[in-house]
Amino acid sequence: MNHATRCTAAVVLCAALLAPFAASAQDEAASPFSWNVTGVSDYVFRGVSQTDEDPTIQAGFTYTSPVGLYAGVWGSGVDFGDGGPDAEVDYLIGYAFDVTDSVNLDLLLNRYTYPGSSELAYNEFITKTTFAKQYSLTVTYTNDVFNSGTDAWYYAVGGEWALPQDFTLSANVGRSTFEEGISKDYTDWNVGVSRQFGLFNLGLGYYGTDGNGRDNSGKLADSRVVFTVGIGQ
């Protein structure tokens, strides 16, 4: 059984095991806990493959308080080459609140960690403003990108639109900027469609970067199609 087949089989198994619990939870009052398990054909972060263009499984768990404070953990397989880490585990804490009836602000501190490779860990402060539940503006900052002691910013705009037959169209454009020449500034983008089927969400996206992105990361930043299948609540 090859790697892709093992990944697909594992996603199906996880979904089968978790589905009864999710169905049960839906019958109860809204829970402060949320979770998800997702299989992806490639883990792409800001236009760049984190798994050497291979599939992996991702999972997350979050607790949200009644006042909008939340904390959680998220993990994914990664592949940075021989001797590199095999997993990324992110620890997050944040606060989301409505500024007006149509504007929501989400403030998040994310800690990127890579078990077995502590020299790669770093923190990032992320702000996301959502307008009319449809459009978003994201601005992030770290003073230690890739644990290098270097400042970096990320700016992104995105949107979601309802399509016939309960499909959703999404599109995002982002810009990564770096100080002190650690990497070239570059632009990434993606467009995709998704649909909810009961407990499951299926998605198909197309990701890419500009020439600077490909100069930075080679084939890992080439344009690509990514398929996702997830289950969660």
Side-chain angles (χ1 to χ4, degrees), residues 18-93:
L18 291 171
F21 298 99
S24 172
Q26 285 183 333
D27 294 334
E28 301 174 358
S31 169
F33 300 99
S34 60
W35 57 267
N36 61 81
V37 178
T38 304
V40 296
S41 61
D42 191 353
Y43 170 22
V44 178
F45 179 71
R46 297 176 186 170
V48 181
S49 173
Q50 307 295 291
T51 51
D52 197 20
E53 303 180 298
D54 285 332
T56 192
I57 293 178
Q58 303 173 334
F61 181 82
T62 303
Y63 168 78
T64 303
S65 75
V67 296
L69 291 168
Y70 63 90
V73 61
W74 181 88
S76 175
V78 298
D79 184 355
F80 296 153
D82 294 340
D86 297 319
E88 173 187 333
V89 180
D90 298 349
Y91 301 94
L92 53 98
I93 184 169

Side-chain angles (χ1 to χ4, degrees), residues 83-104:
D86 297 319
E88 173 187 333
V89 180
D90 298 349
Y91 301 94
L92 53 98
I93 184 169
Y95 178 46
F97 59 96
D98 291 330
V99 179
T100 69
D101 290 342
S102 60
V103 178
N104 179 270

